[in-house]
PDB file of all heavy atoms in Angstrom:
ATOM      1  N   GLN A  71       9.069 -21.328  -5.742  1.00 77.00           N
ATOM      2  CA  GLN A  71       8.335 -20.200  -5.167  1.00 77.00           C
ATOM      3  C   GLN A  71       9.056 -19.641  -3.939  1.00 77.00           C
ATOM      4  O   GLN A  71       9.165 -18.431  -3.759  1.00 77.00           O
ATOM      5  CB  GLN A  71       6.921 -20.646  -4.803  1.00 77.00           C
ATOM      6  CG  GLN A  71       5.968 -19.503  -4.509  1.00 77.00           C
ATOM      7  CD  GLN A  71       4.539 -19.969  -4.399  1.00 77.00           C
ATOM      8  OE1 GLN A  71       4.226 -20.859  -3.630  1.00 77.00           O
ATOM      9  NE2 GLN A  71       3.654 -19.370  -5.182  1.00 77.00           N
ATOM     10  N   ALA A  72       9.590 -20.562  -3.098  1.00 82.00           N
ATOM     11  CA  ALA A  72      10.330 -20.119  -1.913  1.00 82.00           C
ATOM     12  C   ALA A  72      11.593 -19.369  -2.317  1.00 82.00           C
ATOM     13  O   ALA A  72      11.951 -18.345  -1.708  1.00 82.00           O
ATOM     14  CB  ALA A  72      10.675 -21.311  -1.030  1.00 82.00           C
ATOM     15  N   ALA A  73      12.281 -19.864  -3.340  1.00 84.00           N
ATOM     16  CA  ALA A  73      13.508 -19.209  -3.808  1.00 84.00           C
ATOM     17  C   ALA A  73      13.198 -17.830  -4.388  1.00 84.00           C
ATOM     18  O   ALA A  73      13.950 -16.871  -4.164  1.00 84.00           O
ATOM     19  CB  ALA A  73      14.199 -20.083  -4.848  1.00 84.00           C
ATOM     20  N   ALA A  74      12.076 -17.724  -5.106  1.00 81.00           N
ATOM     21  CA  ALA A  74      11.694 -16.424  -5.664  1.00 81.00           C
ATOM     22  C   ALA A  74      11.426 -15.425  -4.544  1.00 81.00           C
ATOM     23  O   ALA A  74      11.834 -14.257  -4.618  1.00 81.00           O
ATOM     24  CB  ALA A  74      10.461 -16.575  -6.553  1.00 81.00           C
ATOM     25  N   GLY A  75      10.737 -15.882  -3.482  1.00 79.00           N
ATOM     26  CA  GLY A  75      10.492 -15.012  -2.340  1.00 79.00           C
ATOM     27  C   GLY A  75      11.780 -14.591  -1.659  1.00 79.00           C
ATOM     28  O   GLY A  75      11.947 -13.440  -1.245  1.00 79.00           O
ATOM     29  N   TRP A  76      12.730 -15.553  -1.553  1.00 84.00           N
ATOM     30  CA  TRP A  76      14.024 -15.243  -0.937  1.00 84.00           C
ATOM     31  C   TRP A  76      14.780 -14.201  -1.759  1.00 84.00           C
ATOM     32  O   TRP A  76      15.349 -13.253  -1.205  1.00 84.00           O
ATOM     33  CB  TRP A  76      14.863 -16.515  -0.810  1.00 84.00           C
ATOM     34  CG  TRP A  76      16.218 -16.274  -0.208  1.00 84.00           C
ATOM     35  CD1 TRP A  76      16.540 -16.242   1.118  1.00 84.00           C
ATOM     36  CD2 TRP A  76      17.444 -16.015  -0.922  1.00 84.00           C
ATOM     37  NE1 TRP A  76      17.878 -15.981   1.289  1.00 84.00           N
ATOM     38  CE2 TRP A  76      18.469 -15.844   0.047  1.00 84.00           C
ATOM     39  CE3 TRP A  76      17.773 -15.921  -2.261  1.00 84.00           C
ATOM     40  CZ2 TRP A  76      19.775 -15.584  -0.306  1.00 84.00           C
ATOM     41  CZ3 TRP A  76      19.087 -15.649  -2.613  1.00 84.00           C
ATOM     42  CH2 TRP A  76      20.075 -15.488  -1.636  1.00 84.00           C
ATOM     43  N   TYR A  77      14.800 -14.371  -3.076  1.00 84.00           N
ATOM     44  CA  TYR A  77      15.500 -13.423  -3.936  1.00 84.00           C
ATOM     45  C   TYR A  77      14.896 -12.022  -3.810  1.00 84.00           C
ATOM     46  O   TYR A  77      15.620 -11.016  -3.760  1.00 84.00           O
ATOM     47  CB  TYR A  77      15.459 -13.881  -5.398  1.00 84.00           C
ATOM     48  CG  TYR A  77      16.542 -14.861  -5.754  1.00 84.00           C
ATOM     49  CD1 TYR A  77      16.235 -16.187  -6.033  1.00 84.00           C
ATOM     50  CD2 TYR A  77      17.885 -14.480  -5.806  1.00 84.00           C
ATOM     51  CE1 TYR A  77      17.227 -17.113  -6.346  1.00 84.00           C
ATOM     52  CE2 TYR A  77      18.882 -15.391  -6.126  1.00 84.00           C
ATOM     53  CZ  TYR A  77      18.550 -16.702  -6.396  1.00 84.00           C
ATOM     54  OH  TYR A  77      19.541 -17.605  -6.697  1.00 84.00           O
ATOM     55  N   THR A  78      13.550 -11.941  -3.766  1.00 81.00           N
ATOM     56  CA  THR A  78      12.886 -10.639  -3.632  1.00 81.00           C
ATOM     57  C   THR A  78      13.263  -9.986  -2.304  1.00 81.00           C
ATOM     58  O   THR A  78      13.622  -8.806  -2.247  1.00 81.00           O
ATOM     59  CB  THR A  78      11.362 -10.807  -3.716  1.00 81.00           C
ATOM     60  OG1 THR A  78      11.016 -11.367  -4.984  1.00 81.00           O
ATOM     61  CG2 THR A  78      10.660  -9.468  -3.546  1.00 81.00           C
ATOM     62  N   THR A  79      13.195 -10.768  -1.227  1.00 80.00           N
ATOM     63  CA  THR A  79      13.532 -10.247   0.096  1.00 80.00           C
ATOM     64  C   THR A  79      14.994  -9.830   0.175  1.00 80.00           C
ATOM     65  O   THR A  79      15.334  -8.776   0.721  1.00 80.00           O
ATOM     66  CB  THR A  79      13.236 -11.307   1.174  1.00 80.00           C
ATOM     67  OG1 THR A  79      11.860 -11.684   1.098  1.00 80.00           O
ATOM     68  CG2 THR A  79      13.541 -10.777   2.566  1.00 80.00           C
ATOM     69  N   GLU A  80      15.865 -10.676  -0.382  1.00 84.00           N
ATOM     70  CA  GLU A  80      17.298 -10.383  -0.330  1.00 84.00           C
ATOM     71  C   GLU A  80      17.643  -9.159  -1.176  1.00 84.00           C
ATOM     72  O   GLU A  80      18.480  -8.339  -0.793  1.00 84.00           O
ATOM     73  CB  GLU A  80      18.088 -11.598  -0.811  1.00 84.00           C
ATOM     74  CG  GLU A  80      19.578 -11.391  -0.953  1.00 84.00           C
ATOM     75  CD  GLU A  80      20.248 -10.945   0.344  1.00 84.00           C
ATOM     76  OE1 GLU A  80      19.630 -11.057   1.426  1.00 84.00           O
ATOM     77  OE2 GLU A  80      21.393 -10.481   0.273  1.00 84.00           O
ATOM     78  N   ARG A  81      16.990  -9.040  -2.336  1.00 83.00           N
ATOM     79  CA  ARG A  81      17.238  -7.870  -3.177  1.00 83.00           C
ATOM     80  C   ARG A  81      16.819  -6.591  -2.445  1.00 83.00           C
ATOM     81  O   ARG A  81      17.512  -5.572  -2.497  1.00 83.00           O
ATOM     82  CB  ARG A  81      16.467  -8.014  -4.493  1.00 83.00           C
ATOM     83  CG  ARG A  81      16.800  -6.940  -5.519  1.00 83.00           C
ATOM     84  CD  ARG A  81      16.273  -7.305  -6.894  1.00 83.00           C
ATOM     85  NE  ARG A  81      14.841  -7.505  -6.887  1.00 83.00           N
ATOM     86  CZ  ARG A  81      14.254  -8.673  -7.109  1.00 83.00           C
ATOM     87  NH1 ARG A  81      14.985  -9.754  -7.335  1.00 83.00           N
ATOM     88  NH2 ARG A  81      12.942  -8.785  -7.110  1.00 83.00           N
ATOM     89  N   THR A  82      15.687  -6.669  -1.747  1.00 78.00           N
ATOM     90  CA  THR A  82      15.220  -5.518  -0.973  1.00 78.00           C
ATOM     91  C   THR A  82      16.199  -5.185   0.151  1.00 78.00           C
ATOM     92  O   THR A  82      16.561  -4.022   0.361  1.00 78.00           O
ATOM     93  CB  THR A  82      13.832  -5.800  -0.384  1.00 78.00           C
ATOM     94  OG1 THR A  82      12.913  -6.075  -1.448  1.00 78.00           O
ATOM     95  CG2 THR A  82      13.328  -4.614   0.423  1.00 78.00           C
ATOM     96  N   ARG A  83      16.635  -6.236   0.881  1.00 78.00           N
ATOM     97  CA  ARG A  83      17.560  -6.021   2.000  1.00 78.00           C
ATOM     98  C   ARG A  83      18.879  -5.417   1.519  1.00 78.00           C
ATOM     99  O   ARG A  83      19.393  -4.457   2.094  1.00 78.00           O
ATOM    100  CB  ARG A  83      17.838  -7.342   2.722  1.00 78.00           C
ATOM    101  CG  ARG A  83      18.737  -7.196   3.955  1.00 78.00           C
ATOM    102  CD  ARG A  83      19.413  -8.511   4.299  1.00 78.00           C
ATOM    103  NE  ARG A  83      20.304  -8.966   3.248  1.00 78.00           N
ATOM    104  CZ  ARG A  83      21.515  -8.486   3.031  1.00 78.00           C
ATOM    105  NH1 ARG A  83      22.013  -7.533   3.802  1.00 78.00           N
ATOM    106  NH2 ARG A  83      22.265  -8.950   2.034  1.00 78.00           N
ATOM    107  N   ALA A  84      19.424  -5.991   0.449  1.00 78.00           N
ATOM    108  CA  ALA A  84      20.701  -5.496  -0.075  1.00 78.00           C
ATOM    109  C   ALA A  84      20.566  -4.064  -0.580  1.00 78.00           C
ATOM    110  O   ALA A  84      21.446  -3.222  -0.357  1.00 78.00           O
ATOM    111  CB  ALA A  84      21.189  -6.418  -1.193  1.00 78.00           C
ATOM    112  N   GLY A  85      19.441  -3.787  -1.242  1.00 75.00           N
ATOM    113  CA  GLY A  85      19.212  -2.427  -1.728  1.00 75.00           C
ATOM    114  C   GLY A  85      19.066  -1.431  -0.596  1.00 75.00           C
ATOM    115  O   GLY A  85      19.582  -0.309  -0.663  1.00 75.00           O
TER     116      GLY A  85
END
Side-chain angles (χ1 to χ4, degrees):
Q71 194 170 54
W76 179 86
Y77 275 111
T78 299
T79 303
E80 174 58 15
R81 188 167 58 246
T82 301
R83 183 202 63 78

